[in-house]
Amino acid sequence: VDGKPVVTYHYGAHNLDLYLRRLAGSLPAVDHVWLVGQSAGGFGTLFNQSFVASAFGARTDVIDDSGPGIGVTGYPPGWNVRLPPGCEECAVGLGPLFVWDRSTQPGSRFAFLSFQVDTVLPGFYGASQQEVVELMSRYEQRLAGLSNTRSFIAPGRGHVVMGGAIDDGTKAALSTWLEQMVADDPAWSVSGAVTSPR
């Protein structure tokens, strides 16, 4: 802040546990939960899907907007991450964490949203724009091969698709795509997305 380092404390997992205790206790008959996150919150969906599903004992679908499960170089120490129990390989990074989520939650739906070129992730990963484009391309190919898992790639450059910086045609396509997801429509697919080459 103002050029000076500031100590930051991360209590996300602790706070989520408090929310889940209250919500699950207040809503015991819930049979379908939606976990939605944008950017850092998108990464949060990867860390927390299993905890949310366990708290409610219900199918937990995910909409991850711009927080991809890429990377195998661990996590920043300040995050003090809490990983799902039983996932030793998750300590390696977001890539294995994403794979573990999908393998342990096969009945849930997972939607990933991104721009063709994400303008924030290179700084986060300490990588070039081209390196991130290549990582994202491989990630999207992996998504296409998994059941109940789809990606929506908005044209152009940006970060956080649902943030509003998309044209009317893309908004309409995204709305239809999400409606298909919510309705468990068999038509929900990658082809429902805007799919221009990167």
Side-chain angles (χ1 to χ4, degrees), residues 29-34 56 58-61 108-109 181-182 184:
V30 169
D31 62 3
H32 194 167
V33 177
W34 294 91
F56 286 98
R59 171 180 161 183
T60 300
D61 289 349
S108 68
R109 286 193 160 193
M181 179 192 183
V182 170
D184 285 337

Side-chain angles (χ1 to χ4, degrees), residues 68-88:
I70 57 176
V72 290
T73 57
Y75 308 99
W79 284 16
N80 192 26
V81 298
R82 175 184 64 179
L83 298 170
C87 184
E88 293 178 16

Side-chain angles (χ1 to χ4, degrees), residues 46-156:
L46 302 177
F47 287 109
N48 293 301
Q49 183 180 14
S50 63
F51 294 103
V52 173
S54 177
F56 286 98
R59 171 180 161 183
T60 300
D61 289 349
V62 170
I63 300 174
D64 172 358
D65 187 345
S66 305
I70 57 176
V72 290
T73 57
Y75 308 99
W79 284 16
N80 192 26
V81 298
R82 175 184 64 179
L83 298 170
C87 184
E88 293 178 16
E89 63 273 23
C90 291
V92 175
L94 289 161
L97 177 61
F98 165 76
V99 171
W100 191 86
D101 278 345
R102 296 314 308 136
S103 67
T104 59
Q105 306 288 327
S108 68
R109 286 193 160 193
F110 180 92
F112 176 68
L113 284 63
S114 177
F115 281 94
Q116 288 174 303
V117 176
D118 190 295
T119 55
V120 170
L121 291 178
F124 174 78
Y125 282 102
S128 71
Q129 185 72 75
Q130 187 56 40
E131 287 171 327
V132 170
V133 165
E134 290 169 7
L135 283 169
M136 293 289 282
S137 179
R138 288 196 295 272
Y139 181 59
E140 288 150 19
Q141 289 170 7
R142 173 177 265 178
L143 289 173
L146 297 171
S147 65
N148 296 324
T149 304
R150 306 288 185 268
S151 60
F152 183 97
I153 308 305

